[in-house]
Amino acid sequence: MAGNGLPSLGRVKLTDLIPSEGLPSDSYKLSMSTLSQSFAQYSAAIIQFPASDGPLLRSCLDSARLYFHQRPSYPAADIIHTNDSREWCKTSGYCADPQLWQETYDYRPGLTPLEPDNSLEYPPAGLADVFALLGKAARDILDAISFYLNLRSSPFTEVLDNVPLRNREISSSVLSVCCHARPSFQGAQHHNLTTQEDGQLVMYPDHDHHVDKSLVSIVKSDKAGLHVRDFHGRWVLVDGDLGPQEAVVYPGLALYQATAGYVNPALHRTESNNMPGNMYGRFSLAFKLMPKSMSSLNCSEMRAAGHGVEAQFQLPIPVDDFMQRSHPTDQLFNRQSFQSFSFPTAQDGSMKPLLKRRKNNSRCKPLPPSKRLRLEAQRVLKERVQDIADKKGIKLRFCSLKECENHIHALDSPCANIRMEIKWPAGVPFVHPHDLPNKAKISFLEAYEPGWTATHDMDLSPTEPGQSSQHSANCNCNSLVQV
């Protein structure tokens, strides 16, 4: 992680994260840097909506307070939360969890909630508008994370709901209106109450912390109480000083899976202070951007961007199976999160001096054409190999270049069986086209990405130095195109 860490949660304006055509602006790069660094340190960040959205968020929270205040003191047995993972994409309407002293109203477009007596249930006001607002923000944040990871634009489109939903489609994403510790709700006897040194009563649920299975979650609360575990294992209060148009955003398990563990999910818990003096409880709006149940989570985009993918992330996982599995939190954090970087500014806040220094920095010079061509061929070749393997249900083990050189002709090598299964051309390095002549690389790229040479100005010699090897003669364009 970068040495110049953030002293507190990063604050990012949503308007600065909205992508636009052409090169990224300075404000976009700076906001994306702050977001990534805040995720790396605190597993959360604060998003600032336009001031005009503040009244909508506040009015929805006020409506939620009235909605829960008129609910019965103890819920009927058929609306008590059962924690059935098979119903993860079908929850809608009111439910209660006495053990957590929590009541929830789930708003899911496409489903009409009903009361136990089959009468129409009237939800808190403004949920459709808030769902649209937070949903758009979550997608912009997801695109910013993709930009940081050097993925292509909108790489998660295939696993997200249509915008807008088509006829008879039900939203996978959900807006949950939550009420914590309502005094009139009969559930206090099920909780662990502790006393701080200053005499305040603090409630922590029996299940100490939670991890959302979403891609991204956005939470707006009317009172402080949301804690997230940071990079060092400390619990940090993340909504203690939120403004009227500010909300907390944090990544979930689905994003952790889709990025091969490069973005750690947030462990969070809710605390309620001074319950005797709390007339209504604590209210929050929690939007969870969820993948579609009929899609799969895979790391093909991460491979295409050149990121290493460990064995546990190699195979695609159907979303429905992923949501029904248990995910022990002690096994999740096998990485130190994705490495953050920053775009430091000058004293006046401008980035112009920095950009000028970066241009003069020899370490930031563009790659030579031969190097760029080699990396492009490597990227495209890996994509094609992975596509073939995914279609055949084959689990790949990508070799290093040295391994390929050592066992390229061996029949008992670690990747020999895989090469045979996908009919890999004989003599071609497995996923490593480093030894191809430049002309062969260009022909290969043109075969799979027509027009590539027209968009890449390459001044190349016929061959790269040092490219002769024991099997380069066999690595010709014709054998590559057979892949």
Side-chain angles (χ1 to χ4, degrees):
M1 190 164 60
N4 53 341
L6 299 173
S8 60
L9 252 70
R11 273 183 159 82
V12 178
K13 291 183 178 180
L14 181 61
T15 53
D16 291 338
L17 285 180
I18 298 176
S20 58
E21 295 289 339
L23 296 174
S25 64
D26 291 349
S27 60
Y28 181 86
K29 291 189 289 186
L30 183 60
S31 297
M32 182 268 303
S33 170
T34 303
L35 180 71
S36 67
Q37 193 160 359
S38 188
F39 276 3
Q41 287 183 242
Y42 301 102
S43 295
I46 295 176
I47 293 296
Q48 297 176 327
F49 291 87
S52 58
D53 294 328
L56 173 62
L57 296 172
R58 183 174 62 252
S59 64
C60 193
L61 286 171
D62 292 341
S63 177
R65 185 178 297 109
L66 295 175
Y67 171 83
F68 286 108
H69 185 64
Q70 55 86 29
R71 299 293 308 188
S73 296
Y74 196 83
D78 53 357
I79 58 175
I80 291 180
H81 182 61
T82 58
N83 202 22
D84 187 355
S85 60
R86 293 172 298 180
E87 302 294 321
W88 70 272
C89 59
K90 300 176 183 177
T91 59
S92 181
Y94 176 85
C95 67
D97 193 335
Q99 291 188 346
L100 297 181
W101 205 356
Q102 176 177 316
E103 300 167 90
T104 303
Y105 183 93
D106 283 343
Y107 174 74
R108 190 183 300 274
L111 278 182
T112 303
L114 298 175
E115 293 282 8
D117 58 358
N118 290 328
S119 62
L120 188 65
E121 183 175 2
Y122 292 97
L127 296 188
D129 293 332
V130 173
F131 184 95
L133 173 68
L134 300 185
K136 177 65 168 60
R139 289 175 184 250
D140 289 338
I141 293 166
L142 197 60
D143 282 342
I145 297 172
S146 303
F147 179 87
Y148 168 76
L149 292 172
N150 201 31
L151 308 182
R152 65 181 177 87
S153 300
S154 306
F156 300 102
T157 300
E158 293 182 359
V159 300
L160 293 176
D161 290 329
N162 288 318
V163 178
L165 292 172
R166 303 305 186 255
N167 187 33
R168 297 185 179 180
E169 285 186 343
I170 297 175
S171 174
S172 300
S173 301
V174 63
L175 174 62
S176 297
V177 186
C178 303
C179 176
H180 302 269
R182 176 166 64 100
S184 58
F185 181 68
Q186 302 300 315
Q189 67 272 21
H190 296 284
H191 289 79
N192 295 329
L193 299 179
T194 59
T195 304
Q196 292 180 334
E197 294 180 359
D198 58 2
Q200 288 184 336
L201 288 176
V202 181
M203 179 276 288
Y204 289 106
D206 297 327
H207 306 286
D208 194 23
H209 53 256
H210 306 272
V211 182
D212 290 356
K213 293 184 178 180
S214 60
L215 291 163
V216 171
S217 296
I218 301 179
V219 179
K220 171 65 177 175
S221 57
D222 68 337
K223 295 182 179 66
L226 179 62
H227 290 250
V228 173
R229 200 174 77 175
D230 70 1
F231 178 76
H232 300 287
R234 300 170 299 196
W235 289 99
V236 179
L237 181 66
V238 294
D239 59 350
D241 58 346
L242 291 184
Q245 69 272 16
E246 292 181 333
V248 177
V249 59
Y250 52 81
L253 271 174
L255 187 59
Y256 171 81
Q257 178 67 34
T259 59
Y262 279 79
V263 182
N264 279 337
L267 271 71
H268 58 90
R269 66 186 186 189
T270 302
E271 161 197 322
S272 296
N273 290 330
N274 293 330
M275 286 186 296
N278 191 347
M279 292 181 60
Y280 296 103
R282 177 182 177 273
F283 299 90
S284 62
L285 306 171
F287 176 86
K288 298 177 183 179
L289 183 65
M290 306 291 289
K292 293 186 294 187
S293 60
M294 300 303 292
S295 60
S296 295
L297 297 173
N298 64 75
C299 301
S300 59
E301 296 290 344
M302 296 295 289
R303 294 189 193 94
H307 297 287
V309 178
E310 296 179 358
Q312 69 190 83
F313 302 105
Q314 289 283 353
L315 292 179
I317 300 179
V319 169
D320 204 43
D321 293 346
F322 179 81
M323 295 299 170
Q324 295 183 45
R325 292 182 185 179
S326 61
H327 301 271
T329 55
D330 57 346
Q331 299 178 9
L332 291 176
F333 302 96
N334 57 344
R335 295 177 178 270
Q336 292 187 351
S337 187
F338 63 121
Q339 297 298 305
S340 60
F341 63 93
S342 59
F343 296 91
T345 58
Q347 291 182 356
D348 60 354
S350 170
M351 294 187 64
K352 293 181 180 179
L354 165 71
L355 297 177
K356 186 175 181 179
R357 287 198 303 271
R358 287 178 63 88
K359 290 179 182 178
N360 295 332
N361 191 340
S362 60
R363 292 178 298 175
C364 298
K365 289 182 179 179
L367 293 174
S370 59
K371 176 76 171 180
R372 288 164 52 201
L373 181 59
R374 187 176 67 186
L375 293 178
E376 277 292 292
Q378 175 80 351
R379 176 186 65 80
V380 176
L381 190 55
K382 288 181 71 173
E383 286 182 5
R384 298 305 172 264
V385 175
Q386 191 62 49
D387 289 343
I388 295 171
D390 289 344
K391 291 177 181 177
K392 292 178 175 289
I394 300 171
K395 182 177 180 181
L396 288 181
R397 175 190 179 276
F398 290 134
C399 298
S400 67
L401 178 59
K402 186 175 182 180
E403 287 177 322
C404 275
E405 290 176 343
N406 290 338
H407 63 234
I408 186 66
H409 295 297
L411 297 178
D412 57 348
S413 64
C415 61
N417 292 332
I418 297 176
R419 291 208 307 267
M420 292 176 60
E421 284 190 67
I422 64 176
K423 296 180 173 58
W424 189 257
V428 178
F430 190 55
V431 196
H432 289 282
H434 299 74
D435 294 320
L436 292 176
N438 284 331
K439 288 185 178 179
K441 290 178 187 175
I442 293 176
S443 299
F444 169 74
L445 288 166
E446 275 292 331
Y448 284 110
E449 293 190 1
W452 187 89
T453 52
T455 57
H456 294 75
D457 184 17
M458 291 287 180
D459 182 17
L460 297 167
S461 58
T463 58
E464 290 178 9
Q467 282 191 332
S468 60
S469 70
Q470 59 181 355
H471 55 278
S472 61
N474 296 326
C475 301
N476 52 57
C477 175
N478 293 332
S479 61
L480 274 173
V481 174
Q482 294 173 14
V483 183

